[in-house]
Amino acid sequence: MAQTLPPHKYTIFTIFLFSILLHGESHKFSRNLSPKSLGLKKQKLSHLHFYFQDIVGGDHPTALKVAQSPITNISHTGFGYMVMIDDPLTVGPERTSKIVGRAQGIYASADLNQVGLLMVMNYVFIEGKYNGSTLSILGRNSVFLPVRELPIVGGSGLFRFARGYALAKTHSFNISNGDATVEYNVYVQHY
């Protein structure tokens, strides 16, 4: 003959099962949000134009080699060297032009076969309405191409949730000391 549980034991079992399910739901890892809940408005598209002053030589360099590989000095691409930068971003191509921000980060030779830099940097703006805002760049820079495209992977301040791309074009390069001025046109979507 089959035995059955008394009715109150079914109630206890149901409450126990329900509490386990509730407890599991209360510790969610993620949830969907509306952009309005974060104060986000309609997206904007901005175009920024400035010059990146990479100063390697002289008494006050803004780009310093911080590491190299065992083959850097014999590699035709300089493979394995890494440079830490805090380069001025200026309105014009002259070093004395007004500074609107800094490019802070790292670039490294990351290609054994042709000169290709891994660029990991933040554009930190210090002028106008973008003062205190940043854009984050992460990508490849094939420096001998006439124009290079680098992805914008994020930002802060007025560039929160930013995405877009930067076009880099070498304006001048000093072969004797390695100094370079690079023109940047940046197209960024942000809120």
Side-chain angles (χ1 to χ4, degrees):
M1 196 148 114
Q3 291 185 347
T4 59
L5 292 173
H8 72 280
K9 289 193 177 181
Y10 282 117
T11 305
I12 293 171
F13 178 75
T14 303
I15 291 171
F16 174 74
L17 186 59
F18 186 72
S19 70
I20 289 174
L21 291 173
L22 265 180
H23 182 71
E25 289 294 314
S26 67
H27 295 288
K28 281 187 160 183
F29 173 70
S30 68
R31 62 189 172 122
N32 292 330
L33 295 174
S34 80
K36 288 181 183 178
S37 71
L38 293 175
L40 301 176
K41 298 180 171 110
K42 185 178 175 187
Q43 278 197 339
K44 301 170 191 152
L45 177 62
S46 296
H47 172 228
L48 306 173
H49 179 259
F50 50 82
Y51 292 84
F52 173 100
Q53 305 286 345
D54 196 44
I55 306 164
V56 177
D59 293 335
H60 303 288
T62 61
L64 297 171
K65 186 187 287 188
V66 295
Q68 67 180 39
S69 74
I71 68 163
T72 295
N73 293 331
I74 59 171
S75 167
H76 71 281
T77 65
F79 181 77
Y81 76 83
M82 186 180 344
V83 176
M84 183 68 67
I85 63 168
D86 186 8
D87 290 342
L89 302 175
T90 60
V91 172
E94 305 80 17
R95 279 196 199 170
T96 57
S97 184
K98 181 179 183 176
I99 296 175
V100 295
R102 310 286 301 183
Q104 298 174 333
I106 297 170
Y107 61 79
S109 178
D111 192 323
L112 284 166
N113 300 309
Q114 57 185 332
V115 178
L117 302 178
L118 166 65
M119 306 288 287
V120 181
M121 63 182 165
N122 291 310
Y123 297 144
V124 180
F125 296 100
I126 61 171
E127 187 63 37
K129 71 178 184 177
Y130 299 121
N131 184 18
S133 297
T134 67
L135 287 173
S136 298
I137 309 296
L138 173 64
R140 177 183 171 80
N141 185 348
S142 299
V143 295
F144 292 125
L145 291 178
V147 178
R148 289 87 68 194
E149 182 177 323
L150 299 160
I152 295 169
V153 297
S156 68
L158 289 180
F159 294 122
R160 191 174 291 142
F161 290 106
R163 65 182 186 279
Y165 64 97
L167 297 176
K169 180 179 179 183
T170 302
H171 180 270
S172 64
F173 177 71
N174 184 329
I175 193 112
S176 65
N177 68 8
D179 289 357
T181 299
V182 180
E183 179 180 16
Y184 273 87
N185 280 287
V186 178
Y187 301 91
V188 59
Q189 284 186 317
H190 59 99
Y191 286 95

